[in-house]
Amino acid sequence: MDQTQPPASLTDVLQRLREHTEGQQHISIGDLLAAVGQRSFGPVALIAGLITIAPLIGDIPGVPTLLGLVVLLTLGQLLFQRQSVWIPNKLSNRRVARETLIKGLDWMQKPACFVDRWTRPRLTWLVRGPGKYLMAVFCMLVAAAMPAMEVVPFSANGGALALMVFGMAMVVEDGLLALLGMAITGGTLWAVMIGLMG
Protein backbone atom coordinates (compact mmCIF):
# COMPACT_ATOMS: atom_id res chain seq x y z
CA MET A 1 0.00 0.00 0.00
CA ASP A 2 1.39 3.40 -1.03
CA GLN A 3 1.80 5.37 2.19
CA THR A 4 2.73 8.53 0.26
CA GLN A 5 -0.83 8.95 -1.03
CA PRO A 6 -3.72 10.08 1.23
CA PRO A 7 -6.19 7.33 2.22
CA ALA A 8 -9.11 6.97 -0.18
CA SER A 9 -11.68 5.39 2.14
CA LEU A 10 -12.41 4.44 5.75
CA THR A 11 -11.42 0.84 5.00
CA ASP A 12 -8.14 2.15 3.61
CA VAL A 13 -7.48 4.04 6.86
CA LEU A 14 -8.12 0.93 8.97
CA GLN A 15 -5.85 -1.18 6.76
CA ARG A 16 -3.04 1.37 6.95
CA LEU A 17 -3.27 1.43 10.73
CA ARG A 18 -2.98 -2.36 10.86
CA GLU A 19 -0.06 -2.59 8.44
CA HIS A 20 1.93 0.35 9.77
CA THR A 21 1.76 -0.83 13.38
CA GLU A 22 2.37 -4.54 12.75
CA GLY A 23 4.95 -6.07 15.08
CA GLN A 24 4.69 -3.32 17.70
CA GLN A 25 3.39 -3.84 21.23
CA HIS A 26 2.49 -0.21 21.89
CA ILE A 27 1.39 2.42 19.38
CA SER A 28 2.06 6.13 19.70
CA ILE A 29 0.01 9.04 18.35
CA GLY A 30 2.95 9.72 16.06
CA ASP A 31 2.69 6.16 14.67
CA LEU A 32 -0.99 6.72 13.89
CA LEU A 33 -0.28 9.97 12.05
CA ALA A 34 2.57 8.37 10.12
CA ALA A 35 0.22 5.59 9.01
CA VAL A 36 -2.03 8.03 7.16
CA GLY A 37 0.65 10.46 5.96
CA GLN A 38 1.91 13.78 7.25
CA ARG A 39 -0.11 15.74 4.68
CA SER A 40 -3.43 14.13 5.56
CA PHE A 41 -5.53 16.48 7.68
CA GLY A 42 -8.84 14.71 6.98
CA PRO A 43 -7.65 11.35 8.31
CA VAL A 44 -6.40 13.05 11.50
CA ALA A 45 -9.99 14.00 12.37
CA LEU A 46 -11.17 10.58 11.21
CA ILE A 47 -8.65 8.72 13.38
CA ALA A 48 -9.39 10.90 16.42
CA GLY A 49 -13.10 10.18 16.09
CA LEU A 50 -12.51 6.49 15.40
CA ILE A 51 -10.33 5.98 18.48
CA THR A 52 -12.65 8.01 20.73
CA ILE A 53 -15.76 6.07 19.72
CA ALA A 54 -14.15 2.62 19.66
CA PRO A 55 -14.79 0.39 22.72
CA LEU A 56 -11.88 -0.10 25.16
CA ILE A 57 -9.92 2.89 23.83
CA GLY A 58 -12.31 5.83 23.98
CA ASP A 59 -13.54 4.67 27.39
CA ILE A 60 -10.12 5.40 28.95
CA PRO A 61 -10.41 8.65 30.96
CA GLY A 62 -8.54 11.48 29.29
CA VAL A 63 -8.35 9.89 25.83
CA PRO A 64 -11.11 12.08 24.28
CA THR A 65 -9.42 15.22 25.65
CA LEU A 66 -6.00 14.09 24.39
CA LEU A 67 -7.31 13.40 20.90
CA GLY A 68 -9.27 16.65 20.95
CA LEU A 69 -5.98 18.45 21.59
CA VAL A 70 -4.38 16.64 18.64
CA VAL A 71 -7.27 17.73 16.40
CA LEU A 72 -7.01 21.33 17.61
CA LEU A 73 -3.29 21.43 16.84
CA THR A 74 -3.43 19.73 13.45
CA LEU A 75 -6.52 21.43 12.03
CA GLY A 76 -5.33 24.74 13.42
CA GLN A 77 -2.30 24.23 11.19
CA LEU A 78 -4.63 23.63 8.24
CA LEU A 79 -6.22 27.04 8.84
CA PHE A 80 -2.76 28.60 8.67
CA GLN A 81 -2.12 26.67 5.44
CA ARG A 82 0.66 24.43 6.69
CA GLN A 83 1.37 21.62 4.25
CA SER A 84 2.06 18.92 6.84
CA VAL A 85 0.95 17.88 10.31
CA TRP A 86 3.15 18.69 13.33
CA ILE A 87 2.43 17.94 16.98
CA PRO A 88 4.72 18.26 20.05
CA ASN A 89 6.77 15.21 21.03
CA LYS A 90 4.96 15.01 24.38
CA LEU A 91 1.69 14.29 22.52
CA SER A 92 3.28 12.35 19.67
CA ASN A 93 4.83 9.87 22.12
CA ARG A 94 1.62 9.07 24.04
CA ARG A 95 0.97 5.33 23.61
CA VAL A 96 -1.76 2.71 23.66
CA ALA A 97 -1.40 -1.09 23.52
CA ARG A 98 -1.62 -2.35 19.92
CA GLU A 99 -3.89 -5.19 21.09
CA THR A 100 -6.39 -2.59 22.28
CA LEU A 101 -6.10 -0.66 19.02
CA ILE A 102 -6.66 -3.79 16.92
CA LYS A 103 -9.80 -4.68 18.89
CA GLY A 104 -11.14 -1.21 18.10
CA LEU A 105 -10.26 -1.60 14.42
CA ASP A 106 -11.96 -5.02 14.32
CA TRP A 107 -15.08 -3.45 15.82
CA MET A 108 -15.04 -0.80 13.05
CA GLN A 109 -14.43 -3.11 10.08
CA LYS A 110 -18.02 -3.95 9.12
CA PRO A 111 -19.34 -0.39 9.66
CA ALA A 112 -16.40 0.87 7.56
CA CYS A 113 -17.32 -1.40 4.64
CA PHE A 114 -20.94 -0.24 4.88
CA VAL A 115 -19.96 3.45 4.95
CA ASP A 116 -17.57 3.06 2.00
CA ARG A 117 -20.37 1.65 -0.16
CA TRP A 118 -22.46 4.79 0.33
CA THR A 119 -19.87 7.56 0.15
CA ARG A 120 -18.60 9.21 -3.03
CA PRO A 121 -17.52 12.65 -4.30
CA ARG A 122 -20.57 14.97 -4.29
CA LEU A 123 -21.30 18.57 -3.33
CA THR A 124 -17.54 18.95 -3.49
CA TRP A 125 -17.70 22.73 -3.02
CA LEU A 126 -18.37 21.95 0.65
CA VAL A 127 -15.09 20.08 1.07
CA ARG A 128 -12.74 22.09 -1.15
CA GLY A 129 -11.37 25.60 -0.81
CA PRO A 130 -13.31 27.68 1.74
CA GLY A 131 -15.55 24.70 2.55
CA LYS A 132 -12.54 22.71 3.78
CA TYR A 133 -11.61 25.49 6.18
CA LEU A 134 -15.19 25.70 7.44
CA MET A 135 -15.08 21.98 8.26
CA ALA A 136 -11.79 22.52 10.08
CA VAL A 137 -13.48 25.15 12.25
CA PHE A 138 -16.35 22.77 13.08
CA CYS A 139 -13.87 20.00 13.97
CA MET A 140 -11.98 22.40 16.23
CA LEU A 141 -15.23 23.37 18.00
CA VAL A 142 -15.89 19.69 18.70
CA ALA A 143 -12.29 19.12 19.82
CA ALA A 144 -12.36 22.13 22.15
CA ALA A 145 -15.53 20.75 23.78
CA MET A 146 -14.03 17.28 24.40
CA PRO A 147 -13.09 17.97 28.06
CA ALA A 148 -16.71 18.94 28.79
CA MET A 149 -17.93 15.89 26.87
CA GLU A 150 -16.05 13.64 29.29
CA VAL A 151 -18.32 15.05 32.03
CA VAL A 152 -21.64 14.79 30.16
CA PRO A 153 -22.54 11.09 29.66
CA PHE A 154 -22.45 9.77 26.08
CA SER A 155 -21.75 13.19 24.55
CA ALA A 156 -18.15 12.20 23.70
CA ASN A 157 -19.62 9.58 21.37
CA GLY A 158 -21.48 12.31 19.53
CA GLY A 159 -18.32 14.39 19.28
CA ALA A 160 -16.35 11.39 18.04
CA LEU A 161 -19.02 10.63 15.44
CA ALA A 162 -18.88 14.23 14.21
CA LEU A 163 -15.09 14.04 13.84
CA MET A 164 -15.36 10.73 11.98
CA VAL A 165 -17.96 12.14 9.59
CA PHE A 166 -15.94 15.30 8.91
CA GLY A 167 -12.81 13.22 8.41
CA MET A 168 -14.60 10.94 5.94
CA ALA A 169 -16.03 13.98 4.14
CA MET A 170 -12.50 15.30 3.59
CA VAL A 171 -11.07 11.90 2.62
CA VAL A 172 -13.69 11.07 -0.05
CA GLU A 173 -14.73 14.68 -0.82
CA ASP A 174 -18.36 13.99 0.07
CA GLY A 175 -20.15 17.27 0.83
CA LEU A 176 -23.26 15.43 1.99
CA LEU A 177 -21.21 13.94 4.81
CA ALA A 178 -19.99 17.45 5.65
CA LEU A 179 -23.60 18.60 6.09
CA LEU A 180 -24.31 15.56 8.27
CA GLY A 181 -21.24 16.36 10.36
CA MET A 182 -22.46 19.92 10.90
CA ALA A 183 -25.84 18.62 12.08
CA ILE A 184 -24.22 16.12 14.47
CA THR A 185 -21.93 18.86 15.81
CA GLY A 186 -24.85 21.19 16.50
CA GLY A 187 -26.83 18.47 18.26
CA THR A 188 -23.87 17.32 20.32
CA LEU A 189 -22.84 20.80 21.46
CA TRP A 190 -26.47 21.54 22.39
CA ALA A 191 -26.60 18.33 24.45
CA VAL A 192 -23.35 19.28 26.19
CA MET A 193 -24.67 22.74 27.11
CA ILE A 194 -27.92 21.25 28.44
CA GLY A 195 -25.96 18.62 30.40
CA LEU A 196 -23.65 21.19 31.98
CA MET A 197 -26.55 23.45 32.98
CA GLY A 198 -28.70 20.59 34.25
Side-chain angles (χ1 to χ4, degrees), residues 71-86:
V71 170
L72 280 174
L73 288 172
T74 55
L75 295 186
Q77 292 169 59
L78 170 62
L79 293 179
F80 285 98
Q81 300 185 348
R82 280 183 60 93
Q83 297 301 307
S84 61
V85 175
W86 174 87

Side-chain angles (χ1 to χ4, degrees), residues 34-56:
V36 296
Q38 292 298 303
R39 296 173 62 89
S40 302
F41 289 94
V44 170
L46 177 56
I47 288 174
L50 170 66
I51 293 175
T52 302
I53 205 170
L56 302 178

Side-chain angles (χ1 to χ4, degrees), residues 3-31:
Q3 297 285 352
T4 64
Q5 296 298 318
S9 66
L10 181 53
T11 303
D12 189 6
V13 170
L14 299 183
Q15 185 63 24
R16 288 184 185 217
L17 292 175
R18 291 178 188 276
E19 292 181 358
H20 190 82
T21 61
E22 190 171 1
Q24 302 181 50
Q25 290 187 333
H26 291 84
I27 313 302
S28 70
I29 297 294
D31 292 330

Side-chain angles (χ1 to χ4, degrees), residues 120-133:
R120 63 181 185 276
R122 52 190 165 187
L123 300 177
T124 54
W125 58 273
L126 282 168
V127 293
R128 295 176 181 170
K132 179 171 67 174
Y133 295 106

Side-chain angles (χ1 to χ4, degrees), residues 170-190:
M170 286 187 271
V171 167
V172 301
E173 297 193 327
D174 191 337
L176 188 60
L177 280 180
L179 291 175
L180 176 60
M182 292 176 190
I184 295 171
T185 298
T188 300
L189 294 180
W190 175 257

Side-chain angles (χ1 to χ4, degrees), residues 82-198:
R82 280 183 60 93
Q83 297 301 307
S84 61
V85 175
W86 174 87
I87 59 174
N89 287 336
K90 189 172 182 179
L91 285 179
S92 179
N93 292 330
R94 293 292 295 269
R95 296 178 176 273
V96 65
R98 185 177 187 271
E99 181 181 1
T100 301
L101 175 68
I102 293 302
K103 286 180 179 178
L105 298 182
D106 289 343
W107 178 80
M108 277 299 302
Q109 193 63 48
K110 286 186 178 180
C113 293
F114 175 81
V115 168
D116 287 342
R117 285 198 298 269
W118 292 96
T119 56
R120 63 181 185 276
R122 52 190 165 187
L123 300 177
T124 54
W125 58 273
L126 282 168
V127 293
R128 295 176 181 170
K132 179 171 67 174
Y133 295 106
L134 179 62
M135 280 196 296
V137 170
F138 269 89
C139 287
M140 291 173 72
L141 285 174
V142 173
M146 278 296 184
M149 290 180 189
E150 292 202 51
V151 177
V152 179
F154 307 112
S155 61
N157 289 336
L161 181 59
L163 290 177
M164 286 181 60
V165 170
F166 281 127
M168 276 299 299
M170 286 187 271
V171 167
V172 301
E173 297 193 327
D174 191 337
L176 188 60
L177 280 180
L179 291 175
L180 176 60
M182 292 176 190
I184 295 171
T185 298
T188 300
L189 294 180
W190 175 257
V192 170
M193 287 189 293
I194 295 298
L196 292 176
M197 292 186 299

